[in-house]
Amino acid sequence: MNNFAQSFYNWYKETIRNPKYRWLLIGASILYLISPIDFAPDFIPIIGWLDDGIIVTLLVSEVSALLTQKLQAKSKNPTNDQPVEVEIKSETIG
């Protein structure tokens, strides 16, 4: 069972980091969470909520890791969006 969980986590992590499939996996995760069809039905206490909890945890942790990486990359490579100071010297002709 541990091997299955680790394999699923690795697949989820690699797929969500692939820009081609990222939004598809995020949408599928959200759809799974709101769908009444689950691996373990939600009316079963604890066990029914466990699969939803795992998906929520994976989704939140991976999306937050992606956002953190994006913010760190943006702070290392500042763009030209920041204002530039220009000093204007005036000379008198005369």
Side-chain angles (χ1 to χ4, degrees), residues 60-77:
V60 169
S61 65
E62 292 304 317
V63 168
S64 65
L66 286 170
L67 291 175
T68 302
Q69 288 175 353
K70 230 176 204 186
L71 289 174
Q72 287 175 349
K74 191 173 185 177
S75 68
K76 288 181 182 177
N77 300 322

Side-chain angles (χ1 to χ4, degrees), residues 34-92:
I34 61 174
S35 171
I37 301 169
D38 285 346
F39 287 119
D42 291 340
F43 64 83
I44 302 171
I46 311 273
I47 295 171
W49 304 318
L50 191 61
D51 63 334
D52 291 338
I54 291 169
I55 297 296
V56 166
T57 303
L58 285 174
L59 181 64
V60 169
S61 65
E62 292 304 317
V63 168
S64 65
L66 286 170
L67 291 175
T68 302
Q69 288 175 353
K70 230 176 204 186
L71 289 174
Q72 287 175 349
K74 191 173 185 177
S75 68
K76 288 181 182 177
N77 300 322
T79 61
N80 292 332
D81 294 341
Q82 298 178 0
V84 177
E85 292 183 29
V86 177
E87 184 178 332
I88 300 174
K89 294 183 182 180
S90 62
E91 294 182 20
T92 352

